[in-house]
Amino acid sequence: MRSIGGKKNQNKILKKYNIPTGDKTPVLIVIYAFGDGYQEEGKEDRPCFSDIKPPKNCIDKNILMMIWRTRDGGVKYQF
């Protein structure tokens, strides 16, 4: 695992993406590759967004990065 910008960018990212804050609040953020853009759900297991008009309102589950905030307030990154 590695950090992308570390502490100096943390507050900027939290504010920009409206990420919940709190020292003891566990959070999981998953960042997907957008690749081919929005797709139809079809027979694939794709996450879909209700605020986007179907049929092309789903994305492939190609995970680029996961970010965890642990119960003890630490942050972990997985690529």
Side-chain angles (χ1 to χ4, degrees):
M1 288 192 264
R2 63 182 179 167
S3 174
I4 56 161
K7 295 279 184 187
K8 73 177 189 176
N9 289 324
Q10 182 174 339
N11 289 335
K12 184 190 282 186
I13 292 168
L14 291 173
K15 186 175 181 177
K16 180 177 181 178
Y17 296 105
N18 198 26
I19 298 170
T21 59
D23 293 344
K24 306 294 182 197
T25 307
V27 174
L28 171 63
I29 299 167
V30 180
I31 300 172
Y32 294 95
F34 198 58
D36 295 326
Y38 291 105
Q39 306 289 315
E40 293 184 16
E41 184 174 17
K43 294 181 181 180
E44 304 293 327
D45 181 22
R46 293 179 170 137
C48 300
F49 301 92
S50 60
D51 59 335
I52 298 173
K53 185 178 176 183
K56 290 192 172 188
N57 65 329
C58 307
I59 59 173
D60 290 320
K61 286 186 176 179
N62 184 8
I63 297 173
L64 291 177
M65 178 172 63
M66 293 193 296
I67 306 166
W68 287 271
R69 183 171 47 231
T70 62
R71 286 185 186 96
D72 64 3
V75 178
K76 294 183 180 181
Y77 302 91
Q78 181 178 353
F79 296 85

